[in-house]
Amino acid sequence: MTTLTAGIRVIRDVLVEYIDIDYSLWLTWMLTPLLLSFLLPFVIILLFCTTAMILYVYKHREKLRGLSELDFWNRARKTVALLWDAHGWVWYGYEIEGLENLPDGGALIVYYHGTLPVDLYYFIARVYLMKNRLVQTVADRFLFNVPGWNIISEGIKVIPGTVNTCCQIVESGHLLAVSPGGVYEALFGDQSYPIMWKSRVGFAKVALQAKVPIIPMFTENVREAFRTMAPMKSLWLKLYNWTRLPIMPIYGGFPVKLVTHLGSPLLPSPNSTPQQLQKECAEAISALIEKHQRLPGCMMLAVADRLYRKPKLD
């Protein structure tokens, strides 16, 4: 017993002399939010993996049961939509305003690209559950090399997107979502919410050629949910220009209030040029940002919006 007591005293003396317990606890307390901010984005990756597995299981199980392709894809999409919609409702209190602006026929939905476009995923899920319409999506080509993405793109109708392919989709009466800013806007935008489309006018060519309306879309606080590392941004920009890959650290997953706003349809004039239509659409999204977004964005206030949102006067 004496030996045991002596051993405990030695251990206690070592801990007291070489390790400051209070400091260690304080450091752990301080660093835990930082650690979580880099771990939370993996929740989205986990949701994507779960989505791929659900689609894969439905595709092969329902084929064995003899169901038609339309039937098993509808069942799979409903299951996946419920998964994403539940996450958006619980974590972000996700809402859509202006859903009545979606036409019954084909249309282009042009959206502002957040650091991670989680708002688009929740939007697709909510529209599918509420209106039984699948919003097809144009995505960056690098995604199609990611393991598991093929089954997602097949089930949820995600395409690389050419002008002709996009025209065929909207002319067939479908909804198609596209972000002219893409990965560039996602990685190198900031809390002032700039429109970063460069000279991309492909979506405008589609709208003019297919004679379909454009629905501007912006999600409030989308840049407060996930952010990129501000230091060494010039280095990340050089790497992006060299590789065209999103090589940049992302952190966040903060439970901010996300509200997607759909603006009034823009009906392209036959006399408009793609450049003029691009400018008109950018101005419409900028107007949505100015009306609905706190500028510059503040993560803490965006989290507070989950508890209380001050009514906005029209």
Side-chain angles (χ1 to χ4, degrees):
M1 191 70 177
T2 306
T3 306
L4 178 60
T5 305
I8 293 174
R9 286 177 179 173
V10 170
I11 294 173
R12 184 194 62 187
D13 293 341
V14 170
L15 288 174
V16 171
E17 183 174 355
Y18 295 102
I19 302 176
D20 189 332
I21 299 296
D22 290 338
Y23 173 74
S24 298
L25 291 174
W26 176 84
L27 190 63
T28 302
W29 179 78
M30 288 293 293
L31 292 181
T32 295
L34 181 62
L35 179 62
L36 286 175
S37 69
F38 284 96
L39 290 178
L40 282 174
F42 286 96
V43 174
I44 302 300
I45 296 176
L46 179 61
L47 284 173
F48 268 111
C49 292
T50 305
T51 297
M53 288 189 289
I54 290 173
L55 294 174
Y56 182 86
V57 168
Y58 265 94
K59 179 178 179 179
H60 292 279
R61 188 190 73 173
E62 304 299 355
K63 273 187 175 181
L64 292 174
R65 294 172 60 185
L67 292 182
S68 68
E69 183 175 355
L70 179 61
D71 287 336
F72 71 69
W73 276 134
N74 282 341
R75 292 188 180 193
R77 288 168 187 155
K78 281 284 172 66
T79 303
V80 167
L82 285 169
L83 173 70
W84 282 92
D85 191 59
H87 185 267
W89 174 70
V90 170
W91 196 248
Y92 296 109
Y94 181 73
E95 298 178 28
I96 300 176
E97 292 185 356
L99 198 57
E100 66 277 2
N101 290 325
L102 285 182
D104 294 330
L108 270 180
I109 300 171
V110 179
Y111 65 96
Y112 177 87
H113 203 304
T115 303
L116 280 184
V118 290
D119 57 318
L120 179 66
Y121 314 147
Y122 303 135
F123 174 76
I124 292 172
R126 186 69 59 86
V127 170
Y128 192 73
L129 293 173
M130 293 183 66
K131 290 183 167 288
N132 201 33
R133 297 190 70 185
L134 178 63
V135 179
Q136 301 186 39
T137 314
V138 176
D140 199 290
R141 294 180 184 275
F142 82 88
L143 284 171
F144 294 86
N145 297 318
V146 175
W149 187 259
N150 286 338
I151 189 72
I152 293 176
S153 62
E154 182 183 1
I156 311 298
K157 299 294 184 183
V158 184
I159 60 171
T162 63
V163 170
N164 290 334
T165 304
C166 293
C167 282
Q168 292 173 7
I169 291 172
V170 294
E171 284 174 346
S172 300
H174 298 294
L175 299 171
L176 181 65
V178 58
S179 173
V183 174
Y184 180 77
E185 185 173 70
L187 296 182
F188 303 106
D190 55 35
Q191 275 52 60
S192 64
Y193 288 80
I195 303 293
M196 303 174 70
W197 292 359
K198 295 186 176 180
S199 58
R200 294 180 178 177
V201 294
F203 76 94
K205 293 178 181 179
V206 172
L208 289 168
Q209 185 174 322
K211 299 180 177 61
V212 295
I214 293 175
I215 311 299
M217 170 176 152
F218 168 73
T219 299
E220 187 178 346
N221 294 325
V222 68
R223 279 205 169 271
E224 316 321 313
F226 291 91
R227 292 183 174 181
T228 53
M229 297 292 290
M232 301 189 300
K233 186 167 279 193
S234 59
L235 173 61
W236 303 121
L237 179 58
K238 289 179 181 177
L239 286 173
Y240 170 75
N241 289 332
W242 181 45
T243 64
R244 293 295 169 182
L245 295 174
I247 306 173
M248 192 172 186
I250 293 175
Y251 67 99
F254 307 116
V256 303
K257 180 68 177 181
L258 292 183
V259 183
T260 291
H261 302 277
L262 298 175
S264 301
L266 301 176
L267 302 175
S269 168
N271 299 322
S272 295
T273 65
Q275 289 75 18
Q276 290 172 334
L277 188 55
Q278 186 221 44
K279 182 180 179 182
E280 185 179 352
C281 186
E283 290 173 349
I285 293 181
S286 293
L288 289 176
I289 294 172
E290 184 177 350
K291 180 178 180 181
H292 299 290
Q293 181 60 50
R294 182 188 296 107
L295 295 174
C298 174
M299 186 265 291
M300 294 301 294
L301 292 177
V303 172
D305 287 340
R306 286 284 279 111
L307 303 175
Y308 173 76
R309 289 186 75 222
K310 184 178 179 181
K312 295 179 180 179
L313 300 178
D314 294 330

